[in-house]
Amino acid sequence: MKHYEVLFIAKPTLTEDETNKQVDFVKEVITKNGGEIASVQEMGTRRLAYPIKKYERGTYFVVYFIAPTALIAELVRNIRNNENIIRFLTVKYENKKEVAAWDKLSKGIKFSPERRERRAPRENRVQETSKEEKNEEASKEVENTEEA
């Protein structure tokens, strides 16, 4: 059994119940064909990079699952026949490093604060430290006025 994710975009004109039915449809196809769903994440309605089938927006969903390889062909066939899903992408995670990333993503774990700081541009890090210093200075001034 391999680790996969399927990202799909539902039409923005669907009601909340109809979009939930699309998610249930994808989950049902996966479970009926021997897959196990790890998590489903709604990414919300976003603007598309370019119009797809005359839609400028779409509701994004990501489903993380473990399944046999034969399931993917059936999943693709079912999603292609679904008129309410305007675009989809299936990703397979193969090596240990990718599977570890899949595990974190499926649990919704984001970057740690230390790693986020390392990824931030140097200018932002300088600004963040200066904000912290300003807060410390302000708290010291408040303490000095209270003592007087």
Side-chain angles (χ1 to χ4, degrees), residues 3 37-41 62-66 99-110:
H3 295 79
I37 296 174
S39 71
V40 177
Q41 296 178 1
V62 180
V63 180
Y64 296 95
F65 61 99
I66 300 171
V99 171
W102 178 91
D103 197 34
K104 286 183 179 180
L105 289 169
S106 67
K107 292 178 183 172
I109 298 173
K110 305 284 185 191

Side-chain angles (χ1 to χ4, degrees), residues 136-148:
E136 289 175 13
E137 290 174 9
S139 63
K140 288 179 183 177
E141 288 177 14
V142 170
E143 290 174 4
N144 289 340
T145 56
E146 290 176 357
E147 291 176 1

Side-chain angles (χ1 to χ4, degrees), residues 70-128:
L71 174 129
I72 301 305
E74 183 67 17
L75 179 65
V76 168
R77 186 183 69 78
N78 280 293
I79 291 178
R80 278 197 180 131
N81 291 333
N82 190 335
E83 295 176 356
N84 294 321
I85 297 176
I86 58 177
R87 193 64 101 223
F88 70 96
L89 173 72
T90 305
V91 179
K92 178 169 108 177
Y93 293 84
E94 294 185 279
N95 60 34
K96 289 181 181 180
K97 192 173 186 179
E98 290 174 347
V99 171
W102 178 91
D103 197 34
K104 286 183 179 180
L105 289 169
S106 67
K107 292 178 183 172
I109 298 173
K110 305 284 185 191
F111 287 116
S112 64
E114 300 84 32
R115 182 157 182 197
R116 204 175 302 132
E117 183 178 310
R118 280 186 273 146
R119 291 176 51 112
R122 197 169 290 285
E123 303 85 38
N124 291 351
R125 281 188 254 156
V126 171
Q127 290 174 355
E128 289 174 7

